[in-house]
Each structure stands twice: as C-alpha cells, then as structure tokens.
C-alpha cells in the first residue's frame, strides 16, 4: 500500500510538472507585447527602424502561429504590424500604415488575404511581398510589376494545391508552367513560386524551411534581414507532448487513487460474465483485424466514388466505430464468445461527490485543450460548417469508446495474465500506426501526423472515460464525452 502511494505521488508530481512546463511554453510562444491595439483589428509591435513587416491575416491562421514572424522581424532590426482582415476597417488601417511608411515595407499575407496584399503592393514603400499559402478566390492581377512577389505553399492537403499555386503564378507572371512533383520552384519577371514538401513543419509559419524561404526572399529583393528563432518549431511540439503527457498522467493518477473508494458493483456491465477467458481473448485479438478490413473496403469505396470528405479523420473514426460497434452488438445479442449474461442498463448517479469529481476532470481536460491550442501546433477552430462533421465523428467515436469500456471491464473480470492483458489492450490501437503509414503516399506526411494527434486525443478521451466510469458508475456518459473530445479534434482540428 505504501509503495502504491509513493508511485501515485511521484506520478502526480511529474504530471503537474509537465503541465506547468507546457503552460510556460505557451506563454513563451505567444505574440510579443503589442505597442498599441485597436481591438483585434491591428497590432503594432515595438522593434527597430530598418524596415516594417506588415502581416495580413485572414483570421484563419491563429495569432500564435504568426508570433515567429514578428520575432524574426524584431530580431532583424525591423518592426512589425499585424492586421486581421476579417475585422472592420483592418484593410484601411493596413493601407494607411503601408502608404505612410518612411522605411521599406515587407508585405506578407496568410491564406485568403493574398488579394489585399497584391493591392497594397502598388504602394511605393513596398519592397517585397510574400503570399503564404494563398487560398480562396480573388482577382488575380498584377498590380505593380516592379514589386517582387513570392507565392509560398506546400503540397500538403491543408494548403492550396500545387495546381492552384501554379495557376496563380501563371496569372501573375505571364508564364505557363505545370506543377511537377512534391517540391518545385519557378521564377519569372520578379514573381517566384515555391512549393515545399508536405511535412509537419513544411507550411507552418514557425517552420525553419518556411522562415528561411521568407527571409531569403526579402533578403534578395529588399536587402533586409530577418533573424528567425530556430527553437520555435521544436518547442511547440514539446509543448503538446508535455501537455498530453501531463494530462494523461493526471487522469491516470486520479483513476488509481479513486479506484478503491469509487468502485461500484452496480455497474451496468456487471450482468455480463466471462465464462471462457481463452475464447474471449481470441475474439478480442481478431476484432481489430476485422474492423481494419471493413475500414479498408470503406476507403476503397470512397476513393472509387470520390466521395470521402476529410479522409484521414473519417477513416480514423470509422475504424474505431466498427471495432467498438462490433463488440457492443455481440454483447447485446449474447453472441460474444466466452461471455454470457445480459448487457444491462445504465443507472443515474446522484452522489454529489462523484458528480463533482467527474465535473472537475472534464474541466481539467477542457482547460488543457485550450492551453494547447494557444501553442499553435494543431489548430482547433470550430465553425458552423463543421457541425455536421462534429456530430458524425462524435457519434462514431462514442460507439468505439463504449465498446472499449465494456471490453476493459470484462478484461478485469477475466483476470488475464498481465502480458496478455497489456497486449490485448494495445492491439486495437496498432491499426492506427498502419493508417498513419499509408496516409503518407495517399495524402502526404501531414496526414500521418494528423493520425498521431487524433490518437493522442483518443487516448486522453479514454483515460477521461475510465475516470468518469468510476465516478459515475455507468458507461454511457463517459463514452459520449470521450467520443465528443475525439470528434472535436477530428472535425475542427488541422495542422
């Protein structure tokens, strides 16, 4: 008992330390302090007087991702201004800043703000322009041929396609090129097109490759320097690792501590009983293979009919739902080999202490998700258009989580040897590694990292569900909440 308490204390201390470190990194990686703020319309940052970097954001790019550009400008002896063009009067204020500048102006647009950047390029003070991942439609006309313009994107599915970038390049430069390969560069008459490989860091504004491409273009065309910080990318990844790791450790510690005091024999699953642990274990080892096969057929059908939206999150959630749904159906109709008894019904919980424990766990997970979004590695931006996908993915993930929770309780009841228990618990997650591997040739390396982050969100959801299962004494609500968390990452998240 004393050994268990020491382990719990150590795990709790390490979890708290990891979460504190993640919070500290988030503060470090945020935007520098702005000199003046006009609501969220315009932010102006203190810096040198060598040049001014004007960043035009379409509002889709999180402000935390733009912080490296501001720091690079300040480190290079320039100042920076950030305008959110979805806000009222932002375009007029950007024009006023550019036209009134007494030093060279470097323009950089994100996403659909590229058309405004081209308009501002006609101003005399503008020395160079970068259109970063230009998306959406606009009036693609050169406003001033004397201003050098760079189109920078990647072959990632999260960025405009190489074909779209080549089309815009042809319009601006008068050239005629066709995109070839995953990475290419073309230049004519002061217009350069560069497409970077689709890797995790390839299109992020804190990526060394992106920052070097941007600073190199401004150095060639305007004769100014930007000194990017090389630690941005690794620290953002570390922030997510520490945040997920600390939260997982915290949930695991609470589950260990509360297991004895909150275990309730009235769990709805208790009418089920394991009568042959060998048969039960064999079926649990075979189910992931069957679920993976069904998911593969679904993927082939979607590819054939070209009707598979958000392919990676869809396949991720479909596999998990098929796996959990198969277990639930076998339990429901009494066909699970080695298991007998009725499925049982959920019962409401009225104990305030249990409700308080469960509510505190849900709040802790929500706060950690908000914290990690600030790090800017993985964007979580829900929109009205994402609601159908959120409902679909949430339902699919909830079905999978319910099946997983039932299986876990029956594993406890079967009293399998520890190595067999660990193996059978890990087997359902192995196909995610295969999905990540196969996603690279089909959708780019970014898709593989999307699988990794979705698996991390699912892992946190399952740990939360285990704790809520103890606190609430049933499986329905924990499965729904875990599914909602996974569905939120799948529907509203992107690299």
């Amino acid at each position: 008992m004393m050994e268990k308490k020491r382990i719990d204390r150590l795990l709790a201390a390490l979890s708290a330390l990891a979460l504190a470190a993640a919070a500290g990194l988030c503060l470090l990686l945020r935007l520098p302090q702005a000199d003046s703020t006009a609501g969220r319309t315009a932010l102006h940052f203190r810096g040198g007087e060598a040049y001014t970097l004007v960043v035009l954001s379409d509002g889709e790019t999180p402000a935390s991702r733009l912080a490296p550009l501001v720091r690079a400008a300040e480190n290079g002896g320039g100042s920076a201004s950030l305008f959110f063009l979805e806000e009222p009067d932002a375009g007029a204020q950007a024009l006023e800043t550019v036209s009134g500048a007494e030093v060279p102006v470097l323009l950089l647009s994100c996403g659909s703000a590229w058309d405004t950047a081209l308009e501002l390029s006609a101003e005399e003070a503008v020395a160079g322009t970068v259109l970063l991942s230009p998306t959406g439609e606009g009036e693609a006309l050169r406003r001033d041929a004397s201003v050098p313009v760079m189109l920078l994107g990647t072959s990632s599915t999260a960025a405009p396609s190489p074909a779209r970038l080549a089309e815009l390049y042809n319009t601006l430069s008068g050239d005629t090129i066709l995109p070839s390969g995953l990475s290419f560069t073309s230049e004519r008459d002061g217009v350069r097109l560069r497409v970077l490989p689709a890797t995790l860091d390839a299109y992020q504004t804190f990526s060394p490759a992106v920052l070097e491409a941007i600073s190199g273009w401004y150095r060639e065309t305007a004769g100014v320097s930007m000194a990017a910080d090389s630690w941005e990318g690794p620290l953002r990844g570390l922030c997510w690792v520490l945040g997920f790791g600390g939260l997982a450790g915290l949930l695991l510690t609470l589950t260990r501590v509360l297991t004895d005091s909150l275990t309730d024999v009235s769990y709805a699953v208790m009418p089920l009983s394991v009568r042959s642990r060998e048969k039960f274990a064999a079926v649990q080892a075979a189910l992931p293979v069957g679920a993976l096969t069904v998911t593969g057929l679904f993927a082939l059908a979607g590819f054939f009919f070209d009707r598979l939206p958000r392919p990676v999150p869809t396949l991720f959630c479909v596999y998990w739902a098929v796996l959990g749904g198969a277990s639930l159906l076998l339990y429901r109709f009494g066909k699970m080999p080695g298991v007998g008894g009725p499925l049982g019904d959920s019962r409401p919980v009225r104990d305030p202490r249990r409700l308080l424990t469960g509510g505190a766990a849900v709040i802790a997970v929500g706060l950690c998700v908000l914290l990690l979004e600030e790090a800017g590695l993985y964007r979580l931006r829900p929109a009205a258009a994402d609601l159908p996908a959120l409902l679909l993915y949430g339902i699919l993930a909830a079905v999978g989580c319910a099946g997983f929770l039932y299986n876990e309780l029956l594993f406890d009841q079967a009293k399998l040897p520890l190595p067999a228990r660990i193996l059978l618990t890990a087997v359902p997650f192995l196909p995610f590694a295969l999905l990540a591997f196969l996603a690279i040739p089909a959708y780019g390396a970014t898709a593989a990292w999307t699988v990794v982050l979705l698996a991390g969100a699912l892992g946190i959801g399952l740990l939360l569900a285990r704790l809520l299962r103890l606190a609430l004494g049933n499986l329905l609500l924990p499965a729904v909440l875990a599914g909602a968390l996974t569905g939120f990452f799948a529907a509203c998240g992107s690299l």
Side-chain angles (χ1 to χ4, degrees):
M1 181 64 68
M2 291 299 297
E3 182 66 24
K4 180 178 182 297
K5 288 184 177 180
R6 280 196 293 268
I7 293 176
D8 291 341
R9 292 194 191 101
L10 177 61
L11 186 57
L14 291 176
S15 301
L17 183 62
L19 288 173
L25 288 177
C26 282
L27 293 176
L28 178 66
L29 294 168
R30 297 184 68 183
L31 278 168
Q33 184 65 39
D35 284 342
S36 61
T37 304
R40 190 179 177 273
T41 300
L43 302 175
H44 304 285
F45 303 92
R46 180 182 293 109
E49 299 179 354
Y51 61 87
T52 295
L53 174 68
V54 174
V55 181
L56 307 176
S57 172
D58 60 1
E60 292 297 316
T61 303
S64 56
R65 288 190 181 180
L66 302 176
L69 295 170
V70 174
R71 277 190 280 269
E74 292 179 343
N75 294 342
S79 60
S81 295
L82 173 58
F83 298 90
F84 297 93
L85 295 186
E86 83 280 12
E87 298 290 332
D89 301 325
Q93 291 190 44
L95 175 60
E96 181 180 349
T97 298
V98 172
S99 60
E102 298 179 355
V103 294
V105 173
L106 310 180
L107 279 176
L108 187 143
S109 69
C110 300
S112 61
W114 63 269
D115 199 41
T116 302
L118 288 180
E119 292 180 2
L120 295 180
S121 294
E123 296 297 320
E124 183 178 354
V126 176
T129 299
V130 173
L131 311 183
L132 180 61
S133 292
T135 59
E137 299 298 328
E139 188 180 356
L141 300 175
R142 278 303 302 273
R143 300 302 199 266
D144 187 346
S146 65
V147 177
V149 177
M150 180 185 200
L151 284 78
L152 181 61
T154 76
S155 54
S156 165
T157 54
S161 67
R164 169 61 179 154
L165 287 170
E167 177 187 356
L168 183 56
Y169 168 81
N170 290 338
T171 302
L172 295 177
S173 66
D175 202 351
T176 303
I177 65 166
L178 295 175
S180 58
L182 295 178
S183 177
F184 60 92
T185 300
S186 185
E187 184 171 359
R188 177 177 175 178
D189 295 336
V191 180
R192 176 183 292 181
L193 168 63
R194 185 171 183 190
V195 178
L196 300 171
T199 61
L200 173 62
D201 281 343
Y203 64 94
Q204 306 280 26
T205 50
F206 50 78
S207 159
V210 168
L211 289 173
E212 176 55 35
I214 293 172
S215 61
W217 179 247
Y218 289 142
R219 185 168 54 249
E220 294 175 22
T221 58
V224 301
S225 64
M226 295 178 64
D229 293 320
S230 60
W231 47 264
E232 290 273 354
L235 284 189
R236 291 178 190 274
L238 179 62
C239 181
W240 274 75
V241 170
L242 291 173
F244 267 15
L247 185 58
L250 178 63
L251 293 173
L252 183 59
T253 302
L254 287 174
T255 301
R256 285 171 54 90
V257 170
L258 299 175
T259 294
D260 296 332
S261 60
L262 293 184
T263 297
D264 190 338
V265 295
S266 67
Y267 283 158
V269 75
M270 285 305 160
L272 291 171
S273 61
V274 177
R275 297 174 181 176
S276 173
R277 66 181 189 179
E278 291 78 12
K279 291 182 179 180
F280 176 62
V283 172
Q284 292 303 314
L287 279 177
V289 178
L292 184 62
T293 302
V294 173
T295 305
L297 294 175
F298 181 83
L300 288 176
F303 179 79
F304 181 78
F305 293 106
D306 195 24
R307 289 287 187 272
L308 194 61
R310 310 186 192 196
V312 171
T314 298
L315 295 178
F316 184 97
C317 293
V318 164
Y319 163 75
W320 191 241
V322 171
L323 180 62
S327 294
L328 292 177
L329 289 174
L330 290 173
Y331 291 137
R332 176 65 180 83
F333 294 103
K335 301 298 183 181
M336 176 66 76
V339 176
L343 187 61
D345 300 318
S346 297
R347 297 183 176 90
V349 172
R350 295 185 174 87
D351 189 338
R353 293 173 299 176
R354 290 189 168 198
L355 295 175
L356 184 60
T357 300
V362 172
I363 292 174
V365 171
L367 290 176
C368 189
V369 168
L370 292 176
L371 171 71
L372 293 178
E373 208 277 336
E374 281 292 318
L377 175 66
Y378 195 68
R379 184 182 64 178
L380 295 167
R381 288 293 180 90
D386 296 324
L387 184 58
L390 177 58
L391 291 175
L392 175 61
Y393 293 151
I395 291 172
L396 292 175
V399 170
C401 292
F404 181 87
L405 291 177
Y406 272 100
N407 291 337
E408 262 215 325
L409 283 176
L410 289 173
F411 280 145
D412 290 341
Q413 190 184 112
K415 299 188 183 302
L416 294 167
L418 183 60
R421 171 65 186 271
I422 294 175
L423 179 61
L424 288 174
T425 302
V427 162
F429 299 95
L430 296 180
F432 290 140
L434 180 61
L435 176 60
F437 178 76
L438 294 178
I440 296 176
Y443 309 110
T446 308
W449 286 106
T450 298
V451 175
V452 173
L453 287 165
L454 287 178
L458 176 61
I460 294 297
L462 291 175
L463 289 173
L464 175 64
R466 290 178 61 195
L467 177 60
L468 293 178
R469 186 194 70 194
L470 285 172
L472 304 181
N474 66 75
L475 286 83
L476 178 60
L477 183 58
V480 169
L481 290 176
L485 179 66
T486 307
F488 179 65
F489 271 77
C492 305
S494 65
L495 281 165

